[in-house]
Amino acid sequence: PVKVRTGRNDFGRYTEFVYTNVTVSFQSGARATAFRISTRAERTAGGIGVGSTEAAVKARIAHVTCRTESGFRHCFVGRFLPGRVVTDFRIRSGRVRSITIGYVLD
């Protein structure tokens, strides 16, 4: 990694390995719990990635739900239930700003 971040949050200790194109998070252990992409270099099979419009996400990602929650807009696939995996597209100004694939912890 280019940088390693450590800290503590509501779930305990965490470590983040920051690479050029992805951040890998480890929450309370050695198992990766999330991957966050914030570069245009990575795309889904349907061509969705950072910079894509929300309309494109809705058109090309099956079973996606889009909402504004806690002051931010996001579109996601999966259910926010403990142990489930969710793909979350963070939206700002109508475009994808980052994509996180991770386990729901609580």
Side-chain angles (χ1 to χ4, degrees):
V2 175
K3 182 191 292 188
V4 176
R5 293 185 205 137
T6 59
R8 183 177 279 285
N9 59 23
D10 292 343
F11 302 106
R13 292 185 178 273
Y14 70 86
T15 302
E16 292 183 331
F17 289 177
V18 181
Y19 296 91
T20 304
N21 295 328
V22 67
T23 298
V24 182
S25 299
F26 301 86
Q27 182 65 57
S28 304
R31 183 176 168 189
T33 54
F35 300 87
R36 183 176 63 250
I37 300 160
S38 55
T39 178
R40 294 176 180 261
E42 305 297 329
R43 299 274 177 201
T44 67
I48 298 299
V50 171
S52 296
T53 65
E54 181 176 335
V57 171
K58 290 176 181 177
R60 295 187 193 148
I61 303 292
H63 310 292
V64 71
T65 301
C66 297
R67 295 186 183 145
T68 300
E69 298 178 304
S70 301
F72 73 91
R73 184 84 177 153
H74 67 131
C75 298
F76 58 92
V77 176
R79 297 181 68 198
F80 285 94
L81 295 172
R84 296 287 191 100
V85 175
V86 173
T87 301
D88 191 61
F89 299 86
R90 182 72 61 105
I91 308 289
R92 190 171 2 143
S93 300
R95 295 195 174 270
V96 175
R97 295 297 178 217
S98 67
I99 303 168
T100 301
I101 302 166
Y103 287 98
V104 178
L105 299 175
D106 70 344

